[in-house]
Amino acid sequence: MKFGFSGYVLSGLVLALSFISSAQQPEIGFGGAKWIWHAPVTGETPKSFSASTRYFRTEFSLPESPAVTSAEIIITCDNLFVLYVNGRLVGESESGNASWSHPKRFDLSGLLAPGRVVLAVEAINTLPGPSGLLVKFVAGLENGDQIVVPSDGTWKTSSKEATNWAQPDFDDQKWATALELGEYGIAPWKRVAAPPAGKVPKASDQTATSLLAKTVLEKEPGEDFAWPEALVFVGEDCSLYRPAKNTGDSAYDSLSVTIFNARKSRAFPEHDLPAPMKVGRKLMVLKPARPGVQPRVLVDAGTGALGSPSVSYDGKWVYFSMVTDGGSFFHLYRVPAEGGVPQQLTDGPFFDIDPAELPDGRIVFASTRVGTFEEYHSPPARGLFVMNVDGSGIDSITNTIIFDNEPEVLADGRILFIRSDNFFDRGKVETLLHATFPDGTSGYTEFGLDMGPEYGNRLRANYCGSPAPMPDGRVAYLSNAGVVVGRMGYDQRYLQHIPLEAGDVAALPDGRLLCTVGRETSVETEVAGEKKSVSEFNYDSITILDPDSRPPVWTRVYDAPGEAIHSPVYLGARTRPPLRPGLVAKSPENGEKATGILFCQSAQFTKNTTAGWDRIRAIRVLAGIGLTTRSSHAYIVHAGNETVELGTVPLAPDGSFAIEVPADTPIALQAVDAEGRSELNEMSWIYVRPGETRSCVGCHQPRQSAPVSNAP
């Protein structure tokens, strides 16, 4: 089933989206929805289920254009329910065995953006007898049409609670399909009335109060509370945020296509601007980091902007990216932590952002020095580069035609960063956390959307950002639902999801986390010559989150109601990670292009059992070449890239293959039959550095599943 949205083709959706013309729009009611439940087990019948808890999920996609102007959901369950949207708690039923007769209605407009949406419901039958779940989601579009998602037999269900089951990155492909009990109106529930429109609670408000009250607790500090030595952060936030509705300003409204970030946070599936994810006017220092202490200004960008601060391991220097008054490009700077004149480190017609010090004293950063355009909306592509502390010796270490952002150094000395994994021609736009050695070798995805082998819907499906390597080897980062903590390369079920709606996250040397949290404030504005009070959301507090307490607790360090701040980092000396050896070979002296090897132990060692493996005979190798020109309306034209077929290699009887490919070149693979027809497509660009040999186990297999090999 395929639906075209503004030039996109989204395939593999797990349920039909009903499009209703504006002339036929009904009042929101349960009509068209079906009562569903888990299939009966031994001793049960469809009319008499045992007391139990069942888990339900479904997914669909929202378009970019026409824009979504409203989104509501009505829901009831015999007897109780808890509703999640994209992993975030929305609300729950009333208590009591008759709560099914009082359906709930929630406004989801504050939670949703174009791309993938996952609805998840915990449904509880408190007494033996009839059981059922009834849901209807309705989104209004700018052109007057609607997207309607009812509960029906396409929903997935499980009788067992799995870790992170409500999160959008959970793999539910092994879940059963829901049992349709009957149309809305069947006995014993008959035509239970949907809640009237009236005043519908906004899910964003419900989420904030419910999650903080139930799962994450604010804790007052005791006398022995360990306060950080000092913090540096960005003040006077002047970031560009995606407008909720078209404003009539075409330049500003184009951001609705190029920026997708959750609740003004640093979690995003797409960020096309060649700038730090969030910027502000001033770089601030809080020393000592205690409540009641007033911060001092370290750097004032004036009418320019600065962002992505980081601190040297000795705690003496603060690195950041800044565009000066009247400047055209972001460049890298550093300033003494005690204050002084900022030193400019980079120059030229490039955007240099997100600096971080490496264990050997060099600086890693993201830059548009790649020189080509990204294939989806055609902004300048960004790769990772390294340089000496004085700005000399700049060298490229990642080679893709997409975006690499926000590099941070892991406890083991590798570089962790956000990679935007974009495939224009297949509608795949998602973010993941990737790690490499400081020379760009041995790159692996550490955290990403693991939805199994079926392609499904990966258009803006995974929001992540603000990577925060922790001293014990774990990593914290932001998702659209809150803060995530986990160990690298582990399966999604081992991740810890902390539903604190933070704007940023950074690690302290003792393993706790710095986060910004926000609130709604009332501000005066002038509309048509009249002064009005409007509500505005900003992150205005810096907190310390303890992820290892049960439940997690957070404590305020700096609170400034009404201010807009972000990007707090620890200011002080830290342990320097170990040096990782360089593995890149020298380029051939005869002028030939350097190469590397890609080796797969078994392409057939995979979760994808639906492919025609009996027909696959070879691996086709494709190279991507980024474009150097673009349309004046590139963000809606989608120019793609130049793709070159490098050749085809046979698949060995044991499923293995090895290929020599050009180094520092984006490579994609296809599994093809004897006539060259593609059976499987690799959905990520990969590359090798000169002289590197990279290996994999098989498609969608965790590294921990690699078998022991005695072969040399």
Side-chain angles (χ1 to χ4, degrees), residues 324-346:
T324 57
D325 295 351
S328 300
F329 297 92
F330 278 91
H331 295 301
L332 301 185
Y333 292 78
R334 72 170 185 169
V335 64
E338 297 302 322
V341 178
Q343 303 174 10
Q344 184 171 341
L345 304 179
T346 63

mmCIF file of all heavy atoms in Angstrom, residues 324-346:
data_model
loop_
_atom_site.group_PDB
_atom_site.id
_atom_site.type_symbol
_atom_site.label_atom_id
_atom_site.label_comp_id
_atom_site.label_asym_id
_atom_site.label_seq_id
_atom_site.Cartn_x
_atom_site.Cartn_y
_atom_site.Cartn_z
ATOM 1 N N THR A 324 29.875 36.073 13.511
ATOM 2 C CA THR A 324 29.986 37.399 14.103
ATOM 3 C C THR A 324 28.991 38.368 13.488
ATOM 4 O O THR A 324 28.293 38.049 12.516
ATOM 5 C CB THR A 324 31.409 37.935 13.908
ATOM 6 O OG1 THR A 324 31.715 37.931 12.502
ATOM 7 C CG2 THR A 324 32.424 37.054 14.632
ATOM 8 N N ASP A 325 28.913 39.568 14.058
ATOM 9 C CA ASP A 325 28.053 40.614 13.517
ATOM 10 C C ASP A 325 28.344 40.805 12.038
ATOM 11 O O ASP A 325 29.490 41.093 11.650
ATOM 12 C CB ASP A 325 28.308 41.952 14.233
ATOM 13 C CG ASP A 325 27.918 41.904 15.693
ATOM 14 O OD1 ASP A 325 27.303 40.915 16.091
ATOM 15 O OD2 ASP A 325 28.235 42.865 16.422
ATOM 16 N N GLY A 326 27.343 40.631 11.183
ATOM 17 C CA GLY A 326 27.525 40.835 9.753
ATOM 18 C C GLY A 326 28.256 39.714 9.049
ATOM 19 O O GLY A 326 28.481 39.788 7.840
ATOM 20 N N GLY A 327 28.647 38.656 9.779
ATOM 21 C CA GLY A 327 29.356 37.544 9.162
ATOM 22 C C GLY A 327 28.429 36.645 8.377
ATOM 23 O O GLY A 327 27.202 36.672 8.547
ATOM 24 N N SER A 328 29.018 35.810 7.514
ATOM 25 C CA SER A 328 28.228 34.922 6.659
ATOM 26 C C SER A 328 28.367 33.458 7.035
ATOM 27 O O SER A 328 27.551 32.639 6.606
ATOM 28 C CB SER A 328 28.641 35.105 5.194
ATOM 29 O OG SER A 328 28.429 36.428 4.762
ATOM 30 N N PHE A 329 29.415 33.105 7.797
ATOM 31 C CA PHE A 329 29.680 31.701 8.092
ATOM 32 C C PHE A 329 29.979 31.512 9.573
ATOM 33 O O PHE A 329 30.582 32.374 10.215
ATOM 34 C CB PHE A 329 30.872 31.185 7.271
ATOM 35 C CG PHE A 329 30.649 31.201 5.794
ATOM 36 C CD1 PHE A 329 31.034 32.301 5.040
ATOM 37 C CD2 PHE A 329 30.042 30.133 5.157
ATOM 38 C CE1 PHE A 329 30.826 32.324 3.670
ATOM 39 C CE2 PHE A 329 29.825 30.146 3.794
ATOM 40 C CZ PHE A 329 30.215 31.248 3.043
ATOM 41 N N PHE A 330 29.569 30.358 10.101
ATOM 42 C CA PHE A 330 29.994 29.946 11.433
ATOM 43 C C PHE A 330 31.433 29.438 11.353
ATOM 44 O O PHE A 330 31.771 28.636 10.475
ATOM 45 C CB PHE A 330 29.096 28.831 11.968
ATOM 46 C CG PHE A 330 27.808 29.315 12.566
ATOM 47 C CD1 PHE A 330 26.671 29.437 11.788
ATOM 48 C CD2 PHE A 330 27.736 29.659 13.913
ATOM 49 C CE1 PHE A 330 25.481 29.881 12.335
ATOM 50 C CE2 PHE A 330 26.551 30.102 14.471
ATOM 51 C CZ PHE A 330 25.418 30.222 13.681
ATOM 52 N N HIS A 331 32.274 29.903 12.271
ATOM 53 C CA HIS A 331 33.645 29.425 12.378
ATOM 54 C C HIS A 331 33.925 29.000 13.812
ATOM 55 O O HIS A 331 33.140 29.297 14.730
ATOM 56 C CB HIS A 331 34.635 30.505 11.939
ATOM 57 C CG HIS A 331 34.530 30.877 10.496
ATOM 58 N ND1 HIS A 331 34.703 29.961 9.484
ATOM 59 C CD2 HIS A 331 34.245 32.058 9.885
ATOM 60 C CE1 HIS A 331 34.540 30.557 8.314
ATOM 61 N NE2 HIS A 331 34.259 31.830 8.528
ATOM 62 N N LEU A 332 35.027 28.311 14.019
ATOM 63 C CA LEU A 332 35.376 27.806 15.342
ATOM 64 C C LEU A 332 36.246 28.815 16.087
ATOM 65 O O LEU A 332 37.119 29.468 15.498
ATOM 66 C CB LEU A 332 36.110 26.478 15.228
ATOM 67 C CG LEU A 332 35.364 25.336 14.526
ATOM 68 C CD1 LEU A 332 36.177 24.050 14.615
ATOM 69 C CD2 LEU A 332 33.969 25.134 15.114
ATOM 70 N N TYR A 333 35.990 28.908 17.396
ATOM 71 C CA TYR A 333 36.732 29.806 18.279
ATOM 72 C C TYR A 333 37.056 29.058 19.568
ATOM 73 O O TYR A 333 36.458 28.024 19.882
ATOM 74 C CB TYR A 333 35.896 31.041 18.635
ATOM 75 C CG TYR A 333 35.619 31.982 17.489
ATOM 76 C CD1 TYR A 333 34.635 31.692 16.538
ATOM 77 C CD2 TYR A 333 36.337 33.176 17.350
ATOM 78 C CE1 TYR A 333 34.374 32.557 15.492
ATOM 79 C CE2 TYR A 333 36.074 34.050 16.302
ATOM 80 C CZ TYR A 333 35.098 33.737 15.378
ATOM 81 O OH TYR A 333 34.842 34.593 14.330
ATOM 82 N N ARG A 334 38.010 29.639 20.315
ATOM 83 C CA ARG A 334 38.220 29.200 21.688
ATOM 84 C C ARG A 334 38.502 30.427 22.539
ATOM 85 O O ARG A 334 39.007 31.449 22.060
ATOM 86 C CB ARG A 334 39.346 28.172 21.800
ATOM 87 C CG ARG A 334 40.759 28.713 21.612
ATOM 88 C CD ARG A 334 41.775 27.642 21.980
ATOM 89 N NE ARG A 334 43.149 28.161 21.923
ATOM 90 C CZ ARG A 334 44.213 27.516 22.401
ATOM 91 N NH1 ARG A 334 44.053 26.316 22.953
ATOM 92 N NH2 ARG A 334 45.419 28.048 22.324
ATOM 93 N N VAL A 335 38.163 30.320 23.834
ATOM 94 C CA VAL A 335 38.347 31.426 24.764
ATOM 95 C C VAL A 335 38.806 30.843 26.096
ATOM 96 O O VAL A 335 38.371 29.747 26.480
ATOM 97 C CB VAL A 335 37.032 32.224 24.919
ATOM 98 C CG1 VAL A 335 35.936 31.363 25.535
ATOM 99 C CG2 VAL A 335 37.242 33.491 25.719
ATOM 100 N N PRO A 336 39.719 31.507 26.810
ATOM 101 C CA PRO A 336 40.107 31.003 28.136
ATOM 102 C C PRO A 336 38.904 30.917 29.064
ATOM 103 O O PRO A 336 38.026 31.787 29.059
ATOM 104 C CB PRO A 336 41.116 32.054 28.625
ATOM 105 C CG PRO A 336 41.648 32.694 27.379
ATOM 106 C CD PRO A 336 40.483 32.709 26.426
ATOM 107 N N ALA A 337 38.856 29.870 29.864
ATOM 108 C CA ALA A 337 37.724 29.669 30.760
ATOM 109 C C ALA A 337 37.588 30.802 31.766
ATOM 110 O O ALA A 337 36.486 31.089 32.245
ATOM 111 C CB ALA A 337 37.860 28.327 31.483
ATOM 112 N N GLU A 338 38.699 31.461 32.098
ATOM 113 C CA GLU A 338 38.655 32.566 33.052
ATOM 114 C C GLU A 338 38.293 33.884 32.390
ATOM 115 O O GLU A 338 38.143 34.899 33.066
ATOM 116 C CB GLU A 338 40.016 32.689 33.759
ATOM 117 C CG GLU A 338 40.388 31.482 34.589
ATOM 118 C CD GLU A 338 39.343 31.192 35.663
ATOM 119 O OE1 GLU A 338 38.802 32.150 36.252
ATOM 120 O OE2 GLU A 338 39.064 30.002 35.904
ATOM 121 N N GLY A 339 38.154 33.875 31.047
ATOM 122 C CA GLY A 339 37.788 35.093 30.338
ATOM 123 C C GLY A 339 38.927 35.600 29.478
ATOM 124 O O GLY A 339 40.100 35.293 29.701
ATOM 125 N N GLY A 340 38.598 36.377 28.470
ATOM 126 C CA GLY A 340 39.606 36.918 27.574
ATOM 127 C C GLY A 340 39.036 37.107 26.184
ATOM 128 O O GLY A 340 37.833 36.962 25.954
ATOM 129 N N VAL A 341 39.912 37.408 25.244
ATOM 130 C CA VAL A 341 39.501 37.642 23.864
ATOM 131 C C VAL A 341 39.409 36.306 23.129
ATOM 132 O O VAL A 341 40.367 35.527 23.148
ATOM 133 C CB VAL A 341 40.501 38.568 23.145
ATOM 134 C CG1 VAL A 341 40.090 38.776 21.684
ATOM 135 C CG2 VAL A 341 40.603 39.910 23.865
ATOM 136 N N PRO A 342 38.281 36.006 22.487
ATOM 137 C CA PRO A 342 38.174 34.748 21.735
ATOM 138 C C PRO A 342 39.186 34.676 20.595
ATOM 139 O O PRO A 342 39.457 35.679 19.919
ATOM 140 C CB PRO A 342 36.741 34.787 21.195
ATOM 141 C CG PRO A 342 36.013 35.741 22.080
ATOM 142 C CD PRO A 342 37.026 36.768 22.487
ATOM 143 N N GLN A 343 39.748 33.492 20.387
ATOM 144 C CA GLN A 343 40.694 33.253 19.297
ATOM 145 C C GLN A 343 39.985 32.499 18.178
ATOM 146 O O GLN A 343 39.428 31.428 18.403
ATOM 147 C CB GLN A 343 41.884 32.422 19.782
ATOM 148 C CG GLN A 343 42.642 33.019 20.955
ATOM 149 C CD GLN A 343 43.715 32.076 21.465
ATOM 150 O OE1 GLN A 343 44.029 31.055 20.851
ATOM 151 N NE2 GLN A 343 44.292 32.404 22.621
ATOM 152 N N GLN A 344 40.001 33.061 16.954
ATOM 153 C CA GLN A 344 39.382 32.389 15.819
ATOM 154 C C GLN A 344 40.306 31.306 15.302
ATOM 155 O O GLN A 344 41.494 31.531 15.075
ATOM 156 C CB GLN A 344 39.067 33.389 14.704
ATOM 157 C CG GLN A 344 38.332 32.761 13.535
ATOM 158 C CD GLN A 344 37.843 33.791 12.532
ATOM 159 O OE1 GLN A 344 37.734 34.977 12.856
ATOM 160 N NE2 GLN A 344 37.553 33.351 11.310
ATOM 161 N N LEU A 345 39.770 30.090 15.107
ATOM 162 C CA LEU A 345 40.579 28.945 14.711
ATOM 163 C C LEU A 345 40.396 28.556 13.245
ATOM 164 O O LEU A 345 41.295 27.972 12.653
ATOM 165 C CB LEU A 345 40.234 27.734 15.596
ATOM 166 C CG LEU A 345 40.380 27.938 17.115
ATOM 167 C CD1 LEU A 345 39.974 26.670 17.850
ATOM 168 C CD2 LEU A 345 41.800 28.348 17.472
ATOM 169 N N THR A 346 39.226 28.804 12.656
ATOM 170 C CA THR A 346 38.989 28.433 11.255
ATOM 171 C C THR A 346 38.480 29.636 10.477
ATOM 172 O O THR A 346 37.996 30.612 11.052
ATOM 173 C CB THR A 346 37.961 27.288 11.131
ATOM 174 O OG1 THR A 346 36.695 27.729 11.643
ATOM 175 C CG2 THR A 346 38.414 26.059 11.883
#
